[in-house]
Amino acid sequence: MTVDHQLLALLLFSVFVAITLAITTWVSRKRRGSAEEFYAGGRLFSPMENGFAIAGDYMSAASFLGISGLIALFGYDGMLYSVGFLVAWLVVLFLVAELVRNCGRFTLADVVAARMRERPVRIATGTSSVTVSVLYLVAQMVGAGSLVALLLGGRGEAVQAWTVIGVGALMVIYVSLGGMRATTWIQIVKSVLLLCGTIALTVLVLMRFHGDFDRLLLTAAERSGHGDAFLAPGLRYGGDWTARLDFISLGLALVLGTAGLPHILSRFFTVPTARAARRSVIWAIGLIGGFYLMTIVLGFGAAAIVGPEAVRGSNAAGNTAVPLLALDLGGGAASTGGTVLFALVAAIAFATILAVVAGITLSSSASVAHDLYASLRRRHAEPRSEVAVARVAAVGIGVVAIALGLLARDLNVAFLVGLAFAVAASANLPVLLYSLFWRDFTTRGAVWAVYGGLIPAVALVVLSPVVSGSPESLMPGVDFQYFPLQNPGLVSIPLGFVAGWLGTLTSAEAPDEAKHAETEVRSLTGAGAV
């Protein structure tokens, strides 16, 4: 790309950053400074607004860049992410959305601690929420680094490093100044931009093949070098038993993990009623479902038009498949049309990353302040001091995410998000479902459920091929790989449920029937909900 074309793309980046910073500044001047305003935006968003914001939170760099890249490289097997991410919302709709809105105030810990001893439960759930959020943030950082490195015409480590640092700095500014209200409006703007860009690319891909989807698939298979195997299961997750178990493990993590993601759960507290929370999810399912259908077209389109070898040559993990596809659809790198379309897509992807990063940082800083800090100083902490701690926590979380993002810059972003989903499904989902539906659940059961899923999940990732033992690992020069699967969900998710069950059975604490009855009525009817 020429210098002029690079400047055009950077200009579009700058325009979006300027708009979002303007939104943040405007909101920061109007905010009241209360915890409810900072964490939940005053609970004033409509179902449609919150549905767009949920979609904005969920349609991350993993969706736009990672999934399309995996489909371009591995065909049918790459579609597992699209299917898993979408099906997961049925779990959220039927089991979680309304009940969480009725039982909680700002975080997951509010729901669980409603009928438990607060301090141990808040420390445990706050720790797991921060862990999940940091893993999710790393994926967004990696996506940003890959994108801007491609934009500037190289894969230099310095370019990626400074991009990761820049994204981290922006996310701290968004969260610390604007809170939930600014973050929500940034999500809405980003959702509209992302959907418009995805629709435009999908139409252009289908026009290239005259609307013949069969021809698109056949061309993709032919260019892949794998023939018909490209359109059948097994290219990535076939073969030996390890790959097949990895497929099952990833599927479990994707389907069950969404209901345990802190930044998704926090969105249900921004609407006034449980009915609004349910309608928000319905809006989100429609938007997200349409988006994931289009990512399938974009993935196979990148394989057919750009070719897997070119995609892999630009970024080994496939994270730049969609920008390369846009460049080709617009007329190629030498054309103004190609560069303009590339710049638009790159700017939209960058907007996607910034918006998702802001949402995750807000939810994790809320967990630090509202759960960890406030649980230690519950009697002395005022709402304003909690908000101040949350702003400081946003800086600390940003620093950690930047450091890990620099370390993991060569991994596929969808794969990294799969790890975050596995930890969420292992640590957060068991304690959430038990606390909502099991009458005899106790404080010990809650703490054991969280740590019984969190510790094995993180430990198995550390001992897996993701970290060491192969050329694609984070540390290719060492080998302490003892767990063969790349995703720990198949083992760690059942362990979380079993640990919660054992903790409850071995607990000497008698369940508080009155608190359970109060929580049950509140969760099902909304009576007494904040």
Side-chain angles (χ1 to χ4, degrees):
M1 297 177 66
T2 66
V3 174
D4 290 340
H5 293 162
Q6 291 177 356
L7 290 175
L8 174 62
L10 291 173
L11 177 63
L12 290 173
F13 278 2
S14 303
V15 168
F16 179 81
V17 171
I19 292 172
T20 53
L21 287 175
I23 292 172
T24 303
T25 304
W26 175 69
V27 169
S28 67
R29 290 177 178 176
K30 297 182 66 175
R31 71 170 191 264
R32 298 192 300 271
S34 66
E36 184 175 65
E37 175 68 24
F38 185 81
Y39 294 141
R43 308 188 198 280
L44 298 175
F45 293 101
S46 69
M48 184 181 73
E49 290 170 344
N50 198 45
F52 270 88
I54 290 173
D57 248 334
Y58 200 66
M59 296 184 302
S60 64
S63 302
F64 192 52
L65 301 177
I67 293 176
S68 300
L70 286 174
I71 294 174
L73 297 179
F74 302 105
Y76 183 96
D77 280 8
M79 290 197 298
L80 171 64
Y81 287 89
S82 293
V83 176
F85 282 150
L86 180 57
V87 171
W89 279 98
L90 298 178
V91 178
V92 177
L93 177 62
F94 291 118
L95 293 180
V96 172
E98 289 187 68
L99 304 182
V100 166
R101 174 61 189 85
N102 284 336
C103 289
R105 190 168 175 228
F106 301 131
T107 64
L108 168 65
D110 289 334
V111 180
V112 180
R115 60 188 183 95
M116 310 284 180
R117 296 200 313 274
E118 287 203 21
R119 184 172 179 176
V121 169
R122 286 188 179 277
I123 291 174
T125 53
T127 301
S128 68
S129 294
V130 172
T131 303
V132 172
S133 297
V134 169
L135 283 173
Y136 212 111
L137 280 172
V138 171
Q140 312 310 313
M141 300 293 194
V142 171
S146 300
L147 185 67
V148 176
L150 175 64
L151 173 68
L152 297 180
R155 292 172 289 168
E157 292 184 1
V159 171
Q160 294 190 39
W162 282 109
T163 302
V164 168
I165 294 170
V167 170
L170 284 170
M171 80 183 187
V172 170
I173 293 171
Y174 291 148
V175 172
S176 58
L177 289 182
M180 178 59 82
R181 194 182 295 270
T183 299
T184 299
W185 282 110
I186 291 170
Q187 301 285 13
I188 293 170
V189 172
K190 165 255 173 144
S191 292
V192 173
L193 290 174
L194 180 60
L195 288 169
C196 289
T198 308
I199 290 170
L201 285 179
T202 301
V203 169
L204 289 174
V205 169
L206 293 176
M207 286 176 60
R208 178 70 67 93
F209 294 91
H210 307 288
D212 189 343
F213 191 68
D214 286 344
R215 183 180 170 194
L216 166 63
L217 294 179
L218 292 174
T219 305
E222 182 180 345
R223 290 205 63 180
S224 71
H226 299 286
D228 292 341
F230 191 71
L231 305 178
L235 193 59
R236 179 179 173 88
Y237 295 107
D240 60 10
W241 65 271
T242 303
R244 294 174 185 271
L245 288 178
D246 231 339
F247 180 88
I248 298 172
S249 186
L250 177 62
L252 278 175
L254 296 181
V255 171
L256 299 178
T258 299
L261 292 176
H263 67 291
I264 297 299
L265 295 175
S266 66
R267 293 240 58 94
F268 301 135
F269 304 126
T270 64
V271 290
T273 64
R275 182 171 182 265
R278 182 179 68 250
R279 291 175 62 196
S280 297
V281 175
I282 294 172
W283 270 99
I285 288 175
L287 296 169
I288 293 167
F291 172 77
Y292 281 128
L293 287 175
M294 290 186 287
T295 61
I296 295 173
V297 176
L298 297 184
F300 284 112
I305 296 172
V306 180
E309 290 305 317
V311 171
R312 193 176 283 108
S314 172
N315 181 273
N319 293 330
T320 55
V322 172
L324 291 175
L325 175 64
L327 193 65
D328 195 293
L329 290 172
S335 68
T336 301
T339 305
V340 169
L341 189 58
F342 172 89
L344 286 171
V345 169
I348 290 170
F350 197 67
T352 296
I353 292 165
L354 288 180
V356 173
V357 157
I360 300 168
T361 307
L362 178 61
S363 67
S364 54
S365 62
S367 294
V368 171
H370 185 64
D371 299 329
L372 299 178
Y373 170 76
S375 67
L376 299 175
R377 296 189 59 197
R378 176 62 59 184
R379 295 179 181 176
H380 309 289
E382 295 294 329
R384 284 186 180 276
S385 66
E386 239 185 64
V387 172
V389 172
R391 293 194 175 102
V392 174
V395 178
I397 291 166
V399 171
V400 173
I402 288 170
L404 293 176
L406 294 174
L407 183 65
R409 58 177 170 261
D410 293 327
L411 296 181
N412 181 276
V413 289
F415 169 75
L416 287 170
V417 166
L419 297 181
F421 272 62
V423 177
S426 304
N428 292 346
L429 184 63
V431 71
L432 178 61
L433 294 183
Y434 278 150
S435 63
L436 290 174
F437 297 108
W438 190 6
R439 179 180 298 272
D440 296 329
F441 197 44
T442 64
T443 301
R444 174 185 283 186
V447 174
W448 282 26
V450 173
Y451 291 128
L454 176 65
I455 294 173
V458 174
L460 291 177
V461 169
V462 171
L463 299 176
S464 74
V466 175
V467 176
S468 69
S470 70
E472 296 80 22
S473 301
L474 294 179
M475 302 176 182
V478 295
D479 186 1
F480 46 87
Q481 172 199 335
Y482 298 103
F483 181 67
L485 305 184
Q486 293 188 329
N487 191 290
L490 186 62
V491 176
S492 59
I493 294 173
L495 284 178
F497 282 98
V498 169
W501 175 71
L502 286 175
T504 299
L505 289 185
T506 60
S507 176
E509 172 190 1
D512 191 325
E513 294 292 336
K515 277 191 175 182
H516 177 267
E518 178 186 346
T519 303
E520 187 174 40
V521 171
R522 181 175 167 183
S523 67
L524 295 175
T525 67
V530 179

